[in-house]
Amino acid sequence: MYLPILVLAFYSFNSSPYSATWQGFTLNWYNQLFSDERILLALKNSLIVAFSAVSISAVLGTLMAVGIARYQFPGKTLYRGVSYLPLIIPDIAIAVATLVFLAAFAIPLSLWTIVAAHVVFCLAYVALVVSSRLTNIDPHLEEAALDLGATPIQAFIQVLLPQLMPGIIAGCLLAFVLSLDDFLIASFTAGSGSNTLPMEIFSRIRTGVKPDINALSVILILISAIVAFIAELIRAFGENKG
């Protein structure tokens, strides 16, 4: 399963501009990435989208998870099912639905429409991870804080939120990786000049895979793997601590 990734990494050090033939070891392709203005701009756009979407999702996802777990309201079961639909709906369906919605209200496409579209699925992932963390927290701790004179907001901020923090961080890291790697939804909702990094990579590989794209792909894989590993460590630490 990982053989294609190993081949990709191997040829990213190939001095030949044609990936099919090996002509020696070089780091030039990695050096070129940091002087490519289009790549750097696409990376900047991807980071803006990922950080913005994750920041919004962290707040809304945490509140959604707490609301579903701690409160009773009409239509709760339906709301829970609808909230987690982005986890199972194909990306193409989310992309088309978002584009139709934006067109219906004549909202011009830009970098911020990508952010709005990414919030849809990032929110669900953050809420899911935070919900799993909530199951390991004793609800009587909040009740004790309320009995001791704390307001509901104080109980949430001072008692519940610190215990949820490992889950929130893990969910945010997972959502960050997913947002950074997304191509399909971004390509449907991006405006002119709002290319993200996956979109820039796709536009280049249509003329053939070059070693600089291999190098960029290796860097993205390493970043994604490191972030996912950190998220799993934080999640496991939070569960063990709970």
Side-chain angles (χ1 to χ4, degrees), residues 99-181:
L99 181 60
V100 171
F101 175 83
L102 295 173
F105 289 91
I107 299 175
L109 299 181
S110 66
L111 197 65
W112 299 110
T113 54
I114 305 178
V115 172
H118 279 202
V119 168
V120 173
F121 66 85
C122 287
L123 176 63
Y125 280 99
V126 173
L128 181 65
V129 177
V130 174
S131 294
S132 67
R133 173 62 181 157
L134 268 170
T135 59
N136 297 321
I137 297 177
D138 187 356
H140 294 97
L141 294 175
E142 298 165 71
E143 296 176 4
L146 294 173
D147 290 339
L148 292 173
T151 64
I153 295 178
Q154 289 175 330
F156 173 76
I157 295 176
Q158 298 179 13
V159 178
L160 184 59
L161 191 59
Q163 298 180 81
L164 289 178
M165 196 55 64
I168 295 173
I169 296 175
C172 287
L173 291 175
L174 176 60
F176 179 84
V177 171
L178 294 171
S179 177
L180 191 66
D181 290 344

Side-chain angles (χ1 to χ4, degrees), residues 10-146:
F10 177 77
Y11 279 107
S12 69
F13 299 104
N14 184 15
S15 60
S16 171
Y18 306 101
S19 299
T21 57
W22 177 264
Q23 294 184 1
F25 180 87
T26 183
L27 293 174
N28 289 338
W29 306 114
Y30 287 88
N31 294 330
Q32 286 186 16
L33 289 177
F34 298 100
S35 59
D36 191 320
E37 293 184 0
R38 287 178 55 187
I39 288 292
L40 294 178
L41 178 59
L43 175 60
K44 177 184 175 181
N45 289 339
S46 288
L47 291 176
I48 291 175
V49 169
F51 278 115
S52 300
V54 168
S55 298
I56 296 171
S57 300
V59 177
L60 298 181
T62 301
L63 295 177
M64 184 175 78
V66 173
I68 292 175
R70 294 289 193 262
Y71 300 96
Q72 298 295 328
F73 52 88
K76 176 179 176 179
T77 302
L78 177 62
Y79 178 78
R80 180 191 288 114
V82 172
S83 300
Y84 294 137
L85 272 180
L87 299 174
I88 58 176
I89 294 178
D91 286 349
I92 184 65
I94 296 177
V96 172
T98 305
L99 181 60
V100 171
F101 175 83
L102 295 173
F105 289 91
I107 299 175
L109 299 181
S110 66
L111 197 65
W112 299 110
T113 54
I114 305 178
V115 172
H118 279 202
V119 168
V120 173
F121 66 85
C122 287
L123 176 63
Y125 280 99
V126 173
L128 181 65
V129 177
V130 174
S131 294
S132 67
R133 173 62 181 157
L134 268 170
T135 59
N136 297 321
I137 297 177
D138 187 356
H140 294 97
L141 294 175
E142 298 165 71
E143 296 176 4
L146 294 173

Side-chain angles (χ1 to χ4, degrees), residues 181-240:
D181 290 344
D182 173 70
F183 164 74
L184 191 57
I185 296 176
S187 63
F188 272 72
T189 56
S192 177
S194 301
N195 278 8
T196 60
L197 198 54
M199 293 170 63
E200 180 65 27
I201 293 175
F202 181 77
S203 67
R204 296 192 180 197
I205 64 174
R206 287 183 295 181
T207 59
V209 180
K210 301 293 181 61
D212 58 339
I213 298 300
N214 291 341
L216 179 58
S217 300
V218 170
I219 293 175
L220 287 177
I221 291 171
L222 288 176
I223 293 174
S224 300
I226 291 172
V227 172
F229 179 71
I230 293 174
E232 179 61 23
L233 284 181
I234 293 174
R235 186 195 63 78
F237 174 77
E239 289 185 354
N240 292 334

